[in-house]
Every structure is written in structure tokens, then in C-alpha cells.
Amino acid sequence: MTMAISTALNIEDILKYHKGRAQRIKDDKSSAGRAGSVSSAGSKLFPSASHHNRSSGLTPKMKAQGIVSGAKESMVKIDKANKGIKTSGHLFEAADYIARHGKIDLEDENGALLNHAEMKDRIDAWVESQDIPESLEQNSKRPADARRLIFSCPKGSNPDAVRAAVKELAQEYFGADGYNYLFAVHYKNKDMPNEPEHPHVHLLIKSLNSQGKRLNLRKEDLRYLRERFAVIAKKYGIDLNATSRAVRGVTKKGKTQERIHEEARSWERFGDAPQHKYSKSRAAEIDDALDSGSLKSSESEGRKKAAYTRSDVLKNAQLYLNELKKSDSQNDLNLALDLERFIKNMPPVETSQEEILRKIKEFKDKERARGYDIKEKIRQRKSNNKQSQAQKWAIHRKKQNQER
């Protein structure tokens, strides 16, 4: 008789420690319908979600198979509440950006396509219904009047499929609860050659729904939307997984959307190292680490936390492996072998500083014979950072003229 591996537990519960006790893998048919949910009660944002068919979520086995096969992760980004849209001008700019200044028609919660003029009328209606001001007083604590989400899929994904998946998800969890929204898919094509090659959808949501309930997006909602997006995307031929970075062996944090855009603008302006304030502070930290040969204290604390999390992941992964190996199913046994191999080959816990220091050391070892002086390069970079804005522009123009 084949022993069933539980489909009732989220892979995050399996591969993470909780209050010092690991989750026991067991067969629980009574709760199998809750697979893949954030909790058995559903998302706090969507109380009606508990009435949906929870068995349509990603099972732990599906997530584990996605991990070992290297399936691309579901990508959902939500803007920060304190940086949400709070003025009429900002709201129009956000909608205009999604519409690419009139090049793309936006779609609303009812499936209607809006041209640029119709989009302006819709935004005006949002402004009037929520009494959105033209400007904010200093230290204003006004809540966001609209929120922005981005759903991204891997390069090569069918843009129509991406759009359809987001449309279904948005209607299921926002439209069904009375929220108004506008969205459009962006991808590289002959009409928009400067777009990224990975299709992605921008979704702009009005903060108050038809009953006057305010949208309150939290981290658990982000996790929930990521998993649900992966599930729906599979229906349209896009294979996505939805797991945490720690479970996949990733210890470094990803860049924020703000930082990505600021660094991109910096490259366009200067053709030089990114000028984002975070990048500048990190560069200074790396310089100090190179001189002292040790990590900054805050970086050391971050490494300790990452190492502790990795330890928990490995402990719980071993429990899951033990259960898989007890199964009479050859598929479970094969998954155990693949998962064991994946865990064995996990990259070591390494902070961003450690990674850069390691790469610099490797580079120095290779270039030492050529007389390359990394410290001289650092001194040059420090000197460049002290240049005035006018000097940077002059150097940039000189480079452009030389290239011509």
C-alpha cells in the first residue's frame, strides 16, 4: 500500500522551524482542501477567500518539484503603503505611466478597454469620489488613495497568457470584493522596443471599494497573491512556483523597485556606477571592508540571522526527506533524491559584502600578474564621487563625443 505524503501542509511549514518545533508530516485528508493557503482561514484581506476552492492551491509536493526543477518563481510586487498615491496628479501620472502615455489601452474590472481620453475621465471620477487633493500639506498622514501591483512572468512567456492570468486573479480577489482597478501588460515588441523582455502587468487599484472598505495589503496578502498567481498562470501554460527565498537557498535580499529604477536612471544620465543612495552607502561599506578585512557589524548581524534561518530550513527539509523516503511510491522516492541533491548543492550562506569581497579576491588573484591595483581603482572611484555635477556632465559629454 502506498503511503500518501501530506498535501495539507504548505511547503513553507515543512521547510521552516516554528517556535522550536518542526511540523510533523502526516496524512490529513480532512484538511487536504486547504493546500497552498496562507492559513486555513484564508487571507485577512479577502475574508471571502475561505469560500473558494482551496484545493486549487499549490501542494507541498508541487512546490518541492518546482524547487528541484528550477521552476521560475511567481513575482508579485506591491508598493509601500506610506508611498502610495495620495494626490490627484500622482494618480494621473501612475495611470498615464501604465498606459505608456496613450500608446496602450487600459482594461478595467469589467473588461472594458479605455483609450487615453477615457482613462482620464475614469481617473477624474476616482479623484472626485475619494476627494483626492491636488497637493498634500507637510507631514500629512492621509492614507493612500490608490495602490500599485506588478505581476511578472519569465522571458518568453506569452503576453496574452500573462494578461489573462492577471485578469482572472484580479477579478477573483479584487473585482469580486467591489474594488475598481485598471491594468495593462507591458512587454518588448516592435511598438515598444524599450520594454523589458519579460512580460509584466501593472495593476492600479482604487483604495476604497463600493462599500467604502479600504484596501489594506499586507505581507501575508503578498504571499497569498504570489501563490494564487502561480496556480492560475499554470492554466494558461506558464509554469511558476511560489516559495520563499530562504527555502531556495537564497540568503541575499532582492533590490526594491525604487532602487532598480533609480539605478537605471543613473546609468542613463552618467553611464557610470549607479548613484542611488543605497549603492553609495554600500560602496563606502565595501571600501571600509577592503581596508579592514572584516565585515561591518550590521552585516555580521544579518549573516547570523541568515545562518540561523538556513539551519532551520535544513532541519525541516530533513524531516520532509525522511517522510518521502518512507513512501512506496517511486515518484516520492525520486523526489526525495532530487530534493536531497538540491539541498546538498545549496550555495553557502553569504551576505552581499561577503560576495563582493570574495569576487574581488578572486579577481585580484587572477590579475595580480598583470599588476592590477584594486586599491588604486577604489581611490579613483572616491575621487570621481567628489566631482561636481557639472564635472560629471562634462566627462559624460566628452565620452559621447569620443564614441561618435
Side-chain angles (χ1 to χ4, degrees):
M1 180 178 177
T2 300
M3 187 190 92
I5 299 300
S6 171
T7 59
L9 295 176
N10 191 307
I11 197 73
E12 307 300 326
D13 296 329
I14 292 170
L15 299 184
K16 281 189 177 180
Y17 238 52
H18 289 273
K19 297 180 181 179
R21 296 186 297 108
Q23 287 279 7
R24 168 68 175 165
I25 311 303
K26 61 182 179 180
D27 184 27
D28 185 359
K29 295 180 180 179
S30 64
S31 58
R34 298 196 298 268
S37 63
V38 173
S39 68
S40 59
S43 167
K44 289 183 179 179
L45 173 61
F46 310 113
S48 59
S50 60
H51 300 298
H52 290 125
N53 181 12
R54 311 304 291 172
S55 62
S56 62
L58 294 175
T59 66
K61 189 179 295 185
M62 290 169 65
K63 289 188 176 183
Q65 289 169 339
I67 288 173
V68 299
S69 66
K72 297 295 184 180
E73 290 289 318
S74 170
M75 299 294 291
V76 181
K77 294 185 179 181
I78 302 175
D79 64 353
K80 293 182 179 180
N82 63 350
K83 294 187 178 181
I85 296 169
K86 302 178 183 181
T87 65
S88 58
H90 193 186
L91 179 59
F92 174 77
E93 288 175 2
D96 190 48
Y97 174 83
I98 297 174
R100 286 297 186 255
H101 315 297
K103 293 181 179 179
I104 306 174
D105 289 343
L106 300 188
E107 186 170 347
D108 69 6
E109 67 280 355
N110 298 314
L113 293 177
L114 309 181
N115 60 33
H116 206 238
E118 292 168 330
M119 179 269 287
K120 289 181 179 178
D121 292 339
R122 184 64 56 87
I123 294 302
D124 286 341
W126 285 15
V127 170
E128 183 178 354
S129 66
Q130 294 189 162
D131 195 22
I132 304 175
E134 293 183 3
S135 61
L136 290 177
E137 296 180 1
Q138 192 173 9
N139 301 323
S140 173
K141 294 184 179 180
R142 180 182 178 84
D145 292 293
R147 301 293 300 277
R148 291 158 293 182
L149 285 82
I150 301 176
F151 299 83
S152 298
C153 285
K155 175 183 175 182
S157 301
N158 186 322
D160 292 333
V162 177
R163 182 191 191 101
V166 174
K167 179 177 180 178
E168 182 173 334
L169 175 60
Q171 179 55 39
E172 183 177 310
Y173 287 110
F174 295 109
D177 284 338
Y179 287 97
N180 300 129
Y181 53 83
L182 300 170
F183 69 95
V185 61
H186 294 173
Y187 61 98
K188 189 172 185 177
N189 56 62
K190 63 179 181 179
D191 296 323
M192 295 185 292
N194 295 325
E195 293 286 348
E197 294 187 354
H198 62 277
H200 57 283
V201 171
H202 289 264
L203 187 71
L204 180 65
I205 310 175
K206 183 181 174 185
S207 288
L208 293 181
N209 70 0
S210 54
Q211 290 80 41
K213 180 181 177 182
R214 181 167 294 280
L215 188 66
N216 185 16
L217 297 169
R218 301 179 181 180
K219 283 188 177 180
E220 67 179 72
D221 301 313
L222 176 59
R223 290 192 290 267
Y224 192 89
L225 287 169
R226 279 191 66 220
E227 179 165 335
R228 190 65 188 143
F229 182 44
V231 171
I232 295 176
K234 288 181 184 295
K235 293 170 50 178
Y236 296 94
I238 305 172
D239 186 26
L240 296 176
N241 203 8
T243 58
S244 70
R245 299 169 69 87
V247 168
R248 302 193 304 275
V250 180
T251 56
K252 292 181 286 294
K253 293 182 179 180
K255 294 182 180 180
T256 64
Q257 199 68 20
E258 176 191 12
R259 183 180 166 198
I260 291 173
H261 286 308
E262 178 58 34
E263 289 184 357
R265 287 192 291 268
S266 177
W267 280 108
E268 292 174 0
R269 288 198 300 266
F270 306 113
D272 201 351
Q275 302 297 308
H276 188 270
K277 59 184 179 181
Y278 178 84
S279 300
K280 287 182 177 180
S281 65
R282 295 293 288 167
E285 290 177 7
I286 294 300
D287 290 348
D288 293 341
L290 279 170
D291 291 336
S292 64
S294 60
L295 298 174
K296 188 179 177 182
S297 58
S298 60
E299 188 85 1
S300 298
E301 287 300 315
R303 192 189 190 288
K304 288 179 183 178
K305 292 180 180 178
Y308 182 79
T309 300
R310 172 63 63 83
S311 176
D312 288 346
V313 167
L314 295 179
K315 288 176 183 177
N316 287 273
Q318 190 58 55
L319 290 175
Y320 188 47
L321 282 170
N322 293 341
E323 293 296 332
L324 284 172
K325 290 177 180 179
K326 294 177 184 177
S327 174
D328 295 328
S329 167
Q330 188 59 48
N331 288 336
D332 289 343
L333 296 176
N334 290 340
L335 178 57
L337 290 174
D338 291 338
L339 191 56
E340 200 166 35
R341 190 179 301 112
F342 175 85
I343 293 169
K344 183 179 179 181
N345 293 327
M346 268 188 180
V349 174
E350 187 177 54
T351 66
S352 298
Q353 275 194 23
E354 286 179 315
E355 180 186 32
I356 294 174
L357 290 173
R358 172 176 56 79
K359 289 182 177 180
I360 288 176
K361 183 178 183 303
E362 293 172 355
F363 182 82
K364 285 176 65 177
D365 291 341
K366 290 180 180 179
E367 299 297 315
R368 186 175 290 111
R370 296 170 54 187
Y372 186 91
D373 189 349
I374 184 63
K375 289 191 174 182
E376 177 59 29
K377 289 291 182 182
I378 292 174
R379 284 193 291 270
Q380 290 177 5
R381 187 178 69 198
K382 286 182 176 179
S383 176
N384 290 336
N385 287 338
K386 294 178 181 178
Q387 292 172 339
S388 67
Q389 188 67 40
Q391 288 174 316
K392 290 181 179 180
W393 274 110
I395 293 172
H396 181 56
R397 285 195 296 269
K398 185 177 179 181
K399 288 181 178 178
Q400 286 183 323
N401 293 333
Q402 289 175 345
E403 290 174 357
R404 291 172 186 160

